Amino acid sequence: MKILVVHNSELSHFPPVINLVQNLLKNGHIVILMSKDDSGIVNSFFCPNFEYIKLDSSDNYGRVEKVIKYIRRRLYIRKKVKEIMEDCDLIWTTTDTVVREIGKQLFQYKHVMQLMELIEYTPLFQGCPVLRMNIKEYARRAYKVVVPEYNRAHIQKTWWGLSKTPTVLPNKPYTIPKFDENIPESVQIFINQMKCEKRKILLYQGVFYADRNLDIIADAVDQLNDKYCLYIMGRETEYSRKLCGNHPGIVKLPFIIPPYHMCITANADIGLMPYTPGKAFYYSVLNALYCAPNKIFEYAGFGLPMLGADVPGITIPFKSYDMGRTYENTVQSVIRALEEIDEYYNKMKKNSFDYYNSIDLDAIVDSILKG
């Protein structure tokens, strides 16, 4: 099958899109990827079955220039989609904003509509939440709607009045890479630091938004700093700066381009999932409640027991596989959870591997394509 994958954001920010392209190529499909990529990740895809169309990712413009650039990019995407789809079997959009950029011409094609977040509505224009596009119509007319979590599938179906429940495609890495060599020197420095650490390393990897509350974990680690240390990895934000300012013992690592960020994961002891329901961007307040983080599979792929907030998207898999513990919003609750993880650490480590291996991405994507 010849498939056009359209992603209008930086590729390195969206591991599920990387997973998708790897999956499609491994299973013999011809893939044309339209995306931004400042990291060079697409270089790992190149083969006879792969073609890349680069979208402009430059953002160093004033307000007027940004608007003009945005309009030009939208027109370019629509023009290229029209050209490419004359010789493609299917178009796969990766986010609701991609659907917005392509528009109604999607109705002409066999369209798989993937959603990375829990979306009740989508602004008609970027940065203008008052005006909204009829995103549910695109979902109703899509060949398949794809979401990363079971509860989200049923919520989207209900919100948008879909005739079929969306397919669940978990945000699991397509492969867990082996890093025997070629690790960037900048990453190796952090690995060496972690290997020299005598305490157990609690690791958070990801974004630092309002719905990720690491303060209470940092407070607990401050009380247990003879036994645990806290590493956080991701792009710096106002929240991460404030967090590190309040807790000088935190080790802050920068964003590391995938898949090398998993070199850090491999050297941690416990993975953190500090999701707190709240409003972020235009996403639903339920987004963090029914979270579907790729990090749960990245942690599990290296056998890390996990510590997470008590929300359904985390508690359900933790209880199903006994691979972690959740906490309530108190320092003592975090400490008790850590004590339980310590007590059952080896069992949870095995269970994390079992959870990772329970998902067959090839079978799920094949079922999406074949209907």
Side-chain angles (χ1 to χ4, degrees):
M1 188 176 288
K2 192 171 185 179
I3 300 168
L4 172 61
V5 178
V6 186
H7 180 66
N8 65 336
S9 300
E10 169 61 31
L11 188 61
S12 64
H13 297 186
F14 288 79
V17 182
I18 300 171
N19 303 335
L20 172 66
V21 174
Q22 290 174 332
N23 187 311
L24 294 174
L25 290 173
K26 183 70 179 298
N27 286 284
H29 299 287
I30 298 171
V31 178
I32 302 173
L33 172 65
M34 188 185 302
S35 176
K36 302 177 185 179
D37 178 37
D38 286 337
S39 62
I41 287 177
V42 293
N43 294 329
S44 66
F45 298 148
F46 279 105
C47 66
N49 280 1
F50 179 74
E51 180 182 343
Y52 176 55
I53 298 171
K54 183 176 177 62
L55 297 177
D56 179 26
S57 58
S58 178
D59 210 22
N60 296 321
Y61 302 102
R63 182 173 296 180
V64 175
E65 290 86 352
K66 279 185 178 180
V67 172
I68 294 172
K69 203 76 176 177
Y70 172 74
I71 293 172
R72 285 179 177 171
R73 187 169 64 237
R74 174 183 279 197
L75 292 174
Y76 175 78
I77 290 172
R78 293 181 178 186
K79 176 176 176 291
K80 293 300 291 184
V81 167
K82 184 177 180 180
E83 292 173 0
I84 295 167
M85 286 307 296
E86 290 181 0
D87 188 38
C88 268
D89 301 299
L90 179 143
I91 183 169
W92 189 306
T93 59
T94 57
T95 68
D96 59 309
T97 59
V98 176
V99 172
R100 179 182 65 196
E101 304 318 304
I102 300 174
K104 292 183 179 179
Q105 70 188 84
L106 280 170
F107 297 152
Q108 305 171 39
Y109 313 127
K110 189 175 184 180
H111 171 212
V112 174
M113 180 177 172
Q114 186 171 5
L115 300 169
M116 300 291 172
E117 309 293 344
L118 188 56
I119 302 294
E120 189 170 5
Y121 72 90
T122 300
L124 186 59
F125 301 104
Q126 188 172 338
C128 180
V130 177
L131 300 175
R132 303 177 180 182
M133 69 175 292
N134 188 12
I135 188 70
K136 63 181 70 175
E137 181 65 16
Y138 289 86
R140 290 169 181 167
R141 296 176 67 167
Y143 170 67
K144 289 284 180 68
V145 177
V146 175
V147 300
E149 195 269 340
Y150 175 81
N151 293 285
R152 288 189 184 191
H154 288 274
I155 293 170
Q156 294 288 178
K157 179 183 180 182
T158 303
W159 276 349
W160 290 351
L162 304 180
S163 59
K164 295 182 179 179
T165 306
T167 301
V168 177
L169 176 63
N171 289 335
K172 175 187 175 182
Y174 190 62
T175 59
I176 292 292
K178 295 180 179 179
F179 301 103
D180 299 325
E181 54 185 24
N182 299 323
I183 297 175
E185 184 178 351
S186 59
V187 179
Q188 188 64 54
I189 291 171
F190 299 130
I191 295 172
N192 294 341
Q193 179 181 349
M194 297 175 80
K195 287 183 180 296
C196 291
E197 178 59 61
K198 303 300 182 185
R199 299 167 295 178
K200 287 193 173 181
I201 297 173
L202 276 60
L203 173 68
Y204 171 77
Q205 57 189 50
V207 296
F208 300 103
Y209 293 151
D211 60 353
R212 315 294 162 92
N213 180 14
L214 283 156
D215 292 84
I216 196 164
I217 296 174
D219 288 337
V221 171
D222 285 346
Q223 292 190 26
L224 302 170
N225 63 4
D226 59 328
K227 189 172 183 179
Y228 300 97
C229 58
L230 176 57
Y231 278 59
I232 62 175
M233 175 171 58
R235 290 179 180 82
E236 192 170 276
T237 65
E238 182 179 349
Y239 173 68
S240 67
R241 287 191 292 270
K242 183 178 178 182
L243 178 71
C244 293
N246 293 335
H247 303 276
I250 290 176
V251 179
K252 171 68 174 69
L253 305 184
F255 172 79
I256 296 174
I257 294 173
Y260 294 106
H261 70 295
M262 284 193 271
C263 295
I264 304 299
T265 315
N267 286 281
D269 297 294
I270 296 172
L272 300 178
M273 311 276 288
Y275 286 73
T276 303
K279 189 68 175 173
F281 305 108
Y282 62 90
Y283 306 147
S284 166
V285 293
L286 300 178
N287 196 52
L289 196 65
Y290 297 104
C291 57
N294 49 285
K295 66 177 66 65
I296 193 172
F297 286 102
E298 292 176 348
Y299 295 152
F302 290 100
L304 268 62
M306 295 168 232
L307 174 70
D310 185 12
V311 298
I314 295 171
T315 302
I316 292 171
F318 277 18
K319 287 188 174 180
S320 297
Y321 281 84
D322 191 21
M323 60 183 183
R325 290 293 183 268
T326 58
Y327 58 86
E328 298 174 0
N329 197 31
T330 68
V331 171
Q332 286 306 311
S333 178
V334 173
I335 292 173
R336 284 195 298 272
L338 286 170
E339 289 172 347
E340 287 193 31
I341 292 172
D342 269 354
E343 184 177 356
Y344 300 104
Y345 190 87
N346 290 332
K347 179 183 177 183
M348 289 186 182
K349 187 176 183 68
K350 176 188 178 298
N351 292 344
S352 284
F353 283 125
D354 289 344
Y355 175 68
Y356 180 85
N357 292 323
S358 69
I359 304 297
D360 186 343
L361 293 179
D362 287 331
I364 297 172
V365 172
D366 188 59
S367 72
I368 291 170
L369 297 177
K370 290 183 177 178

